[in-house]
Amino acid sequence: MSSIVVEGRLVDSSFAPRWGQVEIRDGTIRRVGNLGLRPDLKMGEGQLIFPGFVDVHTHLRHGHEHKEDFASACRAALNGGVTCMLDMPNNPVPPVTAKMLADKEAAVADLPMDIGFYVGLGPDTRPSGHRHYKAFMGPSVGSLFFHDDGQLAETVRHYQDCRITFHCEDPEMLRQLADAPSHEQQRPEKAEQQAVSTALKLARRYGFRVHVAHLSQADSLPELMAAAHRSWQDDQGLPGVVWEATPHHLFFDWDNRHQFSRNNFLKMNPPLRSAASRGLLLEAFMRGDIHFLSTDHAPHTVDEKAGENPSGVPLLDTYGAFVSWLMKQGMSAQQMCQHACHWPGLFTARKVGRILPGYRGHLAILDWNSPWTVAAEDLHTKCAWSPFEGVTLPARVAYTVASGRLFRHGVEVN
Ligand SMILES: [Zn+2]
């Protein structure tokens, strides 16, 4: 039976960094503490051992395998210290029933990490007993989006007590602004704020729970926080209303993006915002007012981005390195565990995101002795580029342990 003992500075949402050992057997954490065992992997003072990171918003491109496939996404995730992720349903044929998920679940069964799936929610769908539903309020890939609020209300009223993840951009406002001169002006902050209000209003009326995807501005926070405060907790103890922010909205703004090597590739939905707006979002994240750090990993090939430039950027490879950047801005390791491991772990309802006995045998080890200037050749995502290329991040994930198996920079160590 397989086992591994890792020793070094451990951190969890429930404790600040402290020296100890983790014993993982048969894919599960068995014991944590001063165990007196012979370590298989011993780290130093310059490294920090996190629970594996949990990314609840990725697009793994099932059906678009020239951009990414489950195996390449898994290598990219492990390169970034991500050991559990949830995949969005905007595939060429979106999964909308439990039955349609069967082939996706079979395709990832042998991968060492935890991968879960959202089921699409679109005009006329109904709950299928699944845990995660995704609603696209504006146009997305395929036909899985709503044309107006009436159509949306007619569907979500059937989802009482379910958790629905919303892509919040008001479709009517986007339609009115379709001819604005830039991508950013076509999809302004007001469109997101309007859609957040709509989602919260419907949730109150029909009794479902909300997860706002990729919040890109801070003006919606008072409304979101009031709604979270009023809401019923779910079975994992998370508020009935939760929200996330992405590395790109926290790091890049519209004014400075031309300073980065892949500047015209930094097009996504919702788009980048002004420097002032990004600053407020980052402040909110640092205060702990945003539940999850999620990538919205959305790979497109270099040729596609250089041509038609579809929206979306790939971010799995750099997840852990971006965590180190947030820590350099002042976030403590323990706080970081809350937003990158523990809370998103609760959202998945899997035993992930903690270094505690009984949890899955996942770890991510950040090495502060090796700042990382991100380069395309270091990446495992099939699309082989990153918005962070040329940027030096303060630390890199040296090792990832997934289900008790050891990986260095995304490649298994035997
Ligand atoms: Zn997305």
Side-chain angles (χ1 to χ4, degrees):
M1 292 284 115
S2 66
S3 76
I4 185 170
V5 175
V6 180
E7 179 175 328
R9 286 203 302 143
L10 311 175
V11 63
D12 181 84
S13 59
S14 63
F15 55 81
R18 68 182 191 208
W19 199 266
Q21 292 187 330
V22 186
E23 183 190 22
I24 298 170
R25 243 185 305 119
D26 302 330
T28 301
I29 296 175
R30 304 293 172 175
R31 290 188 294 165
V32 180
N34 296 313
L35 307 177
L37 299 171
R38 193 181 60 78
D40 300 290
L41 181 69
K42 185 170 178 176
M43 306 312 298
E45 287 292 340
Q47 290 88 36
L48 201 46
I49 304 173
F50 286 81
F53 301 121
V54 180
D55 185 354
V56 302
H57 188 158
T58 64
H59 299 266
L60 305 184
R61 301 297 189 216
H62 193 51
H64 275 142
E65 277 79 7
H66 69 288
K67 298 174 194 274
E68 195 78 284
D69 58 50
F70 288 130
S72 63
C74 181
R75 285 192 296 275
L78 295 175
N79 194 22
V82 174
T83 52
C84 175
M85 53 190 176
L86 298 183
D87 173 47
M88 288 294 174
N90 56 335
N91 304 127
V93 183
V96 293
T97 64
K99 204 157 165 283
M100 290 170 77
L101 279 181
D103 71 319
K104 285 183 99 173
E105 276 162 358
V108 302
D110 292 333
L111 296 173
M113 57 187 299
D114 280 77
I115 302 179
F117 299 104
Y118 289 85
V119 173
L121 186 155
D124 302 324
T125 60
R126 294 291 179 269
S128 53
H130 197 71
R131 187 168 186 94
H132 302 289
Y133 298 95
K134 174 71 183 288
F136 294 88
M137 286 163 111
S140 179
V141 177
S143 57
L144 208 61
F145 63 88
F146 295 93
H147 297 274
D148 57 61
D149 290 354
Q151 193 183 34
L152 177 63
E154 173 47 36
T155 300
V156 296
R157 70 187 181 86
H158 300 281
Y159 284 74
Q160 188 176 10
D161 296 329
C162 296
R163 173 80 74 177
I164 304 175
T165 297
F166 284 91
H167 178 127
C168 287
E169 287 185 290
D170 184 67
E172 184 52 39
M173 208 177 287
L174 298 194
R175 236 187 328 267
Q176 286 166 10
L177 292 167
D179 297 326
S182 72
H183 184 67
E184 287 69 19
Q185 288 162 295
Q186 287 162 16
R187 312 180 81 111
E189 297 187 14
K190 279 207 300 284
E192 183 174 75
Q193 291 153 14
Q194 175 67 40
V196 167
S197 297
T198 301
L200 295 178
K201 199 171 65 197
L202 291 171
R204 251 193 325 276
R205 188 178 308 155
Y206 299 119
F208 57 84
R209 297 187 178 91
V210 172
H211 165 218
V212 173
H214 40 50
L215 189 73
S216 66
Q217 44 77 39
D219 284 355
S220 294
L221 281 174
E223 191 181 0
L224 283 166
M225 289 167 87
H229 189 69
R230 271 197 313 269
S231 66
W232 293 97
Q233 290 189 342
D234 68 12
D235 56 355
Q236 304 291 310
L238 279 179
V241 179
V242 292
W243 51 95
E244 66 187 17
T246 66
H248 47 277
H249 290 121
L250 293 168
F251 188 86
F252 299 101
D253 52 64
W254 172 248
D255 304 326
N256 73 9
R257 73 172 181 145
H258 60 272
Q259 297 162 6
F260 295 91
S261 55
R262 299 284 189 181
N263 71 80
N264 62 330
F265 286 21
L266 297 185
K267 172 173 171 259
M268 72 292 290
N269 302 328
L272 298 177
R273 305 305 189 188
S274 69
S277 188
R278 178 187 72 95
L280 291 173
L281 189 71
L282 181 59
E283 274 175 33
F285 193 89
M286 304 298 291
R287 278 198 308 273
D289 286 348
I290 295 175
H291 297 93
F292 314 141
L293 177 67
S294 305
T295 61
D296 193 11
H297 176 78
H300 299 288
T301 67
V302 168
D303 284 350
E304 289 168 336
K305 290 300 280 187
E308 194 191 331
N309 199 3
S311 293
V313 296
L315 289 157
L316 277 172
D317 286 274
T318 50
Y319 191 105
F322 187 72
V323 161
S324 77
W325 182 82
L326 287 169
M327 288 172 64
K328 197 163 181 203
Q329 310 312 302
M331 199 152 211
S332 75
Q334 196 177 342
Q335 265 180 310
M336 209 56 245
C337 282
Q338 198 85 53
H339 301 281
C341 309
H342 183 173
W343 280 344
L346 291 177
F347 186 78
T348 69
R350 292 165 183 247
K351 296 289 272 184
V352 296
R354 307 294 305 273
I355 301 185
L356 294 176
Y359 277 74
R360 300 273 292 138
H362 300 328
L363 303 169
I365 304 175
L366 263 184
D367 184 1
W368 293 86
N369 294 336
S370 59
W372 181 25
T373 303
V374 178
E377 59 264 30
D378 299 334
L379 308 171
H380 286 293
T381 177
K382 196 182 269 188
C383 68
W385 67 276
S386 164
F388 285 107
E389 270 170 80
V391 176
T392 301
L393 297 165
R396 182 174 181 184
V397 173
Y399 292 98
T400 302
V401 177
S403 303
R405 289 162 60 180
L406 182 64
F407 296 83
R408 174 147 177 88
H409 297 162
V411 178
E412 188 152 20
V413 179
N414 288 308

